Structure formats: C-alpha cells, structure tokens
Amino acid sequence: MDEKDIQILATIAREGTASPDKIEEAIGIPKSTVHYRLNQLRESGVIENDLYDIDLEKVGLSITLISEVWAEFGEGYHDTVGEKLADVEGVNQVYFTMGATDFVVIAHVANRESVESLVEDYESIDEIERTSSKFVITTVKDEPNPLNDFEIETLVETLTE
Amino acid sequence: MDEKDIQILATIAREGTASPDKIEEAIGIPKSTVHYRLNQLRESGVIENDLYDIDLEKVGLSITLISEVWAEFGEGYHDTVGEKLADVEGVNQVYFTMGATDFVVIAHVANRESVESLVEDYESIDEIERTSSKFVITTVKDEPNPLNDFEIETLVETLTE
DNA sequence: ATTGAAACTTGATCGTT
DNA sequence: AACGATCAAGTTTCAAT
C-alpha cells in the first residue's frame, strides 16, 4: 500500500470504475501497471469486487430505518447477535458500538408492512432486550465508496503517515 | 422495472459485477439483451456507475464513528445543514430523520486526531446545537449493495407487488 | 515492479424478427 | 423489445528492462 496504490484506489472512487484504461487516462500510470497493481490489491483483500451504485428510491426500496438495539451481555454475544441481526432480510449495515447502545442497524425496505416485520424480527432474537428505531426522511448523502469523501492528497498524507 | 430488470439488478448485486457476459452466464439472458437493459437502467437513473468494495481496515480507515446531530429548526435547514455535514471530510452517510434526533452521520477516519477534528467540524456549523457520537467496535456487516440483502424471489415479489 | 506492444476477451453495435 | 452475428474496444498477457 504505497502512494501509487492509494492514487489508484482514489481514482477508482472518483471515476466510479476500475477500468485500467480509464485509470491510465486519469493519472497517467500505464494500464498494464495498473492491472498489475489491481491484482495485488485483490489478492491482499483490499478490494473485493465490482458492484453498482443503485438508486434505492427508483428501485422501490424507499424506506430507510435506523435502529438502536440493546442486547444482553454474554460471551462473544456481539458476534452471534450481530450475525443474527445481519441475517434479517433487508438489513444492510450492522455496527457493534462502544457505550450504552449495543448495535446500530440500518435497513432498507419497500413498505410499512416490511418495517413492522423488520422490528419484529429484531425483537424475536433471544438476546435482544430493547430496540428503538428512527425513520429516515431524507438521505442527504450515501456514498458507497468511502474513499470518495477525501481529496487524493489528504489520503496519501493520512494513509502513508 | 419489470421482473427481468430486477433479475439483472439482483445478479449484479450477487455476482459483484455488471458485466453482460457474467450476467448471461448467471441467468441465461443474452448479453446483448442485458446490455440493452443496462442502458435503460442507466438512463432512468436506477444505476449510476461502477465502483469498488474496499476493505476499510486494510486501507487504513479503521475508525467508524456514528454521530447523532441535533440542529435548530429553520426553513429548509435539513437541506443546508445536511449538505454542510456531508461536506465534512470523512463523512460517508448523512440521514435526516423523523423524531427527536435530526441527523445521523456516519464517518470513516484513520486515527484519533481525525475523530477530534471531525466532531469539531460538526459543532462549528452554525445551526448545530448538540452532537453525540458512538465509536464502532466491530462492523458486523456493511453491504454496499442493498439488493444483496434479499433473495431474488423476494425482490421480484415485493418490488413488482 | 514496470512497461510497450501483442494477443485475446469482452462489451457495444447493427440488422432482423 | 429481444437477440445472434459482427465489430470495436477493452483487458490481460508477455517479454524486456
């Protein structure tokens, strides 16, 4: 993970594609070199696969629900309970957090009925004590690629420190 | 957005690529047809562009911070304040929510110092009254493609209803 | 590890149904 | 709108550094 890798990753984020051609065009590193680096990054697990940025509204998953979930304490329960939450259909993100709240869960569903069953699914998990959910009115930002939030120079600075 | 579109979108999510070839291989729809459909989906804004699934730990952005942010009420403030939050370097998601909390903000940063400046940045926004942040200890699940949380049959059912 | 050029695979186009 | 055949464009490989 040197500066060249970060440049490539940042370009992928910015251009929205991992095409060696496009990356060469954007930052001047020959496409065969880019290809070589991309393979390294794949092998070392830094990047996983291609995917698509989908407009949830247009696809019909217009409801976003953010839930705080409290669970009993127990050996490795943040793993087992976390997995159970992750397995609920519609659940996109599961964070296990420090402090009073145990989990933060974000889910996308199509309609009100799905919201009901979602919360029921959470609360039917044995170790779960309590949940509290917020409806999202507007998604101001939802950037699938976190690197896109940074300037390339900032990234190179902070990540090579 | 008929069943065929949903099959294609679900395959993109599952296979992690939008390659017409791979999609034909997976569900048998000829790649020229897939190509045609993908163009439609692009034009209608359902899908935006390719991107990459990046391992934040490996890339060095190992700290995730979930913040609740309360703001003053004002004409269209959820837009303007939301944008200001979205512009803070490192901020990945900004949700404007119903109920007591106004915004939920998720950010990814490299180190403790960045956490400090992140929260400072939030609180330096004029309309912001109060913030409360949680550290994420473990990211149990963070699926960039929401469609990947569903079975194809479920999707076809719920989205064509 | 890098790269220019060659080989090959794939995505995009076209014409027909 | 669907799709098989064709073409153009891209990715991947290779040999030399």
Side-chain angles (χ1 to χ4, degrees):
Chain A
M1 277 291 300
D2 62 357
E3 181 167 339
K4 208 172 268 185
D5 283 325
I6 295 168
Q7 281 185 313
I8 291 170
L9 291 175
T11 307
I12 290 173
R14 174 169 297 168
E15 304 290 325
T17 171
S19 152
D21 241 28
K22 297 275 168 55
I23 296 171
E24 167 166 9
E25 207 176 306
I27 54 176
I29 300 174
K31 61 181 178 176
S32 48
T33 305
V34 171
H35 181 252
Y36 175 82
R37 291 286 186 136
L38 284 176
N39 278 344
Q40 308 281 343
L41 289 168
R42 260 182 261 258
E43 272 166 37
S44 57
V46 176
I47 53 184
E48 265 127 60
N49 54 33
D50 298 358
L51 27 87
Y52 251 79
D53 188 3
I54 287 166
D55 188 316
L56 293 177
E57 283 287 337
K58 293 216 170 103
V59 98
L61 294 173
S62 34
I63 300 178
T64 301
L65 200 71
I66 302 178
S67 306
E68 300 182 60
V69 174
W70 291 266
E72 288 173 33
F73 182 80
E75 189 74 33
Y77 84 118
H78 68 279
D79 262 10
T80 55
V81 178
E83 288 299 337
K84 286 181 194 173
L85 287 167
D87 285 347
V88 174
E89 194 153 274
V91 168
N92 210 213
Q93 284 144 279
V94 177
Y95 300 107
F96 176 65
T97 66
M98 252 171 71
T101 301
D102 288 320
F103 296 93
V104 173
V105 180
I106 298 181
H108 302 279
V109 293
N111 46 51
R112 294 296 172 125
E113 297 93 77
S114 307
V115 174
E116 306 296 332
S117 61
L118 204 57
V119 175
E120 274 171 35
D121 286 347
Y122 296 163
E123 298 194 335
S124 73
I125 296 171
D126 279 351
E127 297 89 341
I128 302 287
E129 283 173 344
R130 190 160 76 84
T131 70
S132 161
S133 298
K134 301 185 223 291
F135 274 95
V136 171
I137 299 170
T138 312
T139 297
V140 182
K141 177 179 191 171
D142 187 4
E143 171 57 56
N145 195 329
L147 293 187
N148 230 340
D149 300 323
F150 297 91
E151 300 289 332
I152 293 189
E153 301 90 57
T154 316
L155 274 179
V156 173
E157 255 176 67
T158 54
L159 298 183
T160 56
E161 110 254 44
Chain B
M1 277 293 300
D2 61 356
E3 180 167 337
K4 208 172 270 188
D5 284 325
I6 295 168
Q7 281 185 312
I8 291 171
L9 290 175
T11 306
I12 290 172
R14 174 168 298 170
E15 303 289 325
T17 173
S19 151
D21 242 29
K22 296 274 167 54
I23 296 172
E24 167 164 7
E25 207 176 306
I27 54 176
I29 300 175
K31 64 177 181 175
S32 50
T33 305
V34 171
H35 181 253
Y36 175 81
R37 290 288 186 133
L38 284 176
N39 277 345
Q40 307 281 346
L41 289 168
R42 260 182 261 258
E43 272 167 37
S44 57
V46 176
I47 52 184
E48 267 126 61
N49 53 35
D50 298 357
L51 27 88
Y52 251 81
D53 188 4
I54 288 167
D55 188 315
L56 293 177
E57 283 287 339
K58 293 216 172 104
V59 99
L61 293 173
S62 34
I63 300 179
T64 301
L65 200 72
I66 303 178
S67 306
E68 300 182 59
V69 174
W70 290 265
E72 287 174 33
F73 182 79
E75 189 73 34
Y77 83 117
H78 69 277
D79 261 10
T80 56
V81 179
E83 288 300 336
K84 287 181 194 174
L85 286 168
D87 286 347
V88 174
E89 193 153 276
V91 168
N92 210 212
Q93 284 144 276
V94 177
Y95 300 107
F96 176 65
T97 66
M98 254 171 73
T101 302
D102 288 319
F103 296 94
V104 173
V105 180
I106 298 181
H108 301 278
V109 292
N111 47 50
R112 295 294 172 128
E113 297 93 76
S114 307
V115 174
E116 306 296 333
S117 60
L118 205 57
V119 175
E120 274 172 34
D121 286 348
Y122 296 163
E123 300 195 334
S124 74
I125 296 170
D126 279 351
E127 297 89 342
I128 301 286
E129 283 174 344
R130 190 161 77 83
T131 71
S132 160
S133 298
K134 300 186 225 289
F135 274 95
V136 171
I137 300 170
T138 313
T139 297
V140 183
K141 177 179 191 171
D142 188 3
E143 172 57 58
N145 194 328
L147 293 187
N148 229 340
D149 300 322
F150 297 91
E151 299 289 331
I152 294 189
E153 300 90 58
T154 316
L155 274 178
V156 173
E157 255 177 67
T158 54
L159 299 183
T160 55
E161 110 253 41

